[in-house]
Amino acid sequence: MLTHADNVPRRKTWRNRALPLLLFIIAIAGILGWQQFYMVSRIAPPLVGVKIDGSAYALPTKPAQSVLVHFWATWCLPCLTEQDSIEAIAHDHPNTITVAMRSGSDMIVSQHMVRQGLHFAVLNDPDGRISAAWGVHAIPASFIISPDGKIRFVEVGLTSNFALRWRLWLAVLLG
């Protein structure tokens, strides 16, 4: 039978493990909060331009279905890790638009797309104007727009294919 003295070391062990975990969670939440501080929320700002394939693009104010607006860069290692998920989502969800942030000319971005075997729609943002209008300071960054034109979800940093698809589906229910 356990006595009170036997339980004391177990409590200390639990506290010794819980406190670092709690501090880690608080630190991650603080970093994410800082990264998203300047990012737009509520109604999506205008997103108009010419895609690197030469076709015009304008984000609808009231899209028929949810939209993924994904900011990335050719030089961003986490973006490279995530690009296959974005490619798969764009293949299944045509309302996906990506913005290549400060990645050089259209030709440089196009060459990157060919080398990586990517086919998703890209607006080039060589000077960072589009990114600034959306408040993007850290990439990769993803915005999920619901059919009512509101930004429902914002993700900064790596996220999974499943998480983005779940948010796209949920945005339809919320919008």
Side-chain angles (χ1 to χ4, degrees), residues 70-88 99-100 103 108-109 111-118 120 139-141 157-159:
H70 180 74
F71 289 81
W72 62 282
T74 58
W75 44 265
C76 167
L77 292 178
C79 300
L80 291 172
T81 302
E82 196 174 57
Q83 69 189 9
D84 289 338
S85 291
I86 301 303
E87 176 74 13
V99 180
S103 293
I108 290 171
V109 175
Q111 289 171 347
H112 172 82
M113 298 288 288
V114 169
R115 275 193 313 275
Q116 299 296 319
L118 303 172
F120 48 74
I139 50 175
L158 288 173
T159 189

Side-chain angles (χ1 to χ4, degrees), residues 6-173:
D6 293 332
N7 285 332
V8 172
R10 287 186 186 159
R11 278 191 229 148
K12 285 185 180 180
T13 302
W14 182 85
R15 286 182 192 153
N16 289 342
R17 290 182 183 156
L19 184 59
L21 179 62
L22 180 62
L23 292 174
F24 177 75
I25 291 169
I26 290 170
I28 294 297
I31 290 168
L32 290 175
W34 172 77
Q35 287 177 329
Q36 294 182 7
F37 185 74
Y38 293 106
M39 297 176 96
V40 294
S41 58
R42 300 201 177 131
I43 300 296
L47 182 59
V48 178
V50 178
K51 296 185 281 186
I52 62 171
D53 68 5
S55 62
Y57 179 81
L59 178 67
T61 55
K62 301 275 185 179
Q65 49 181 283
S66 57
V67 177
L68 169 61
V69 179
H70 180 74
F71 289 81
W72 62 282
T74 58
W75 44 265
C76 167
L77 292 178
C79 300
L80 291 172
T81 302
E82 196 174 57
Q83 69 189 9
D84 289 338
S85 291
I86 301 303
E87 176 74 13
I89 291 169
H91 181 267
D92 297 338
H93 192 82
N95 280 356
T96 298
I97 185 71
T98 70
V99 180
M101 179 178 157
R102 298 186 185 269
S103 293
S105 68
D106 287 359
M107 184 168 54
I108 290 171
V109 175
S110 292
Q111 289 171 347
H112 172 82
M113 298 288 288
V114 169
R115 275 193 313 275
Q116 299 296 319
L118 303 172
H119 303 94
F120 48 74
V122 181
L123 285 174
N124 194 11
D125 185 22
D127 57 7
R129 285 186 205 166
I130 297 171
S131 306
W134 283 68
V136 175
H137 299 286
I139 50 175
S142 299
F143 295 81
I144 306 293
I145 316 296
S146 62
D148 62 3
K150 293 181 181 174
I151 296 172
R152 293 295 176 174
F153 302 100
V154 177
E155 285 293 320
V156 177
L158 288 173
T159 189
S160 70
N161 186 321
F162 174 78
L164 287 173
R165 288 178 188 272
W166 169 253
R167 287 175 177 87
L168 284 163
W169 177 80
L170 196 55
V172 172
L173 296 178

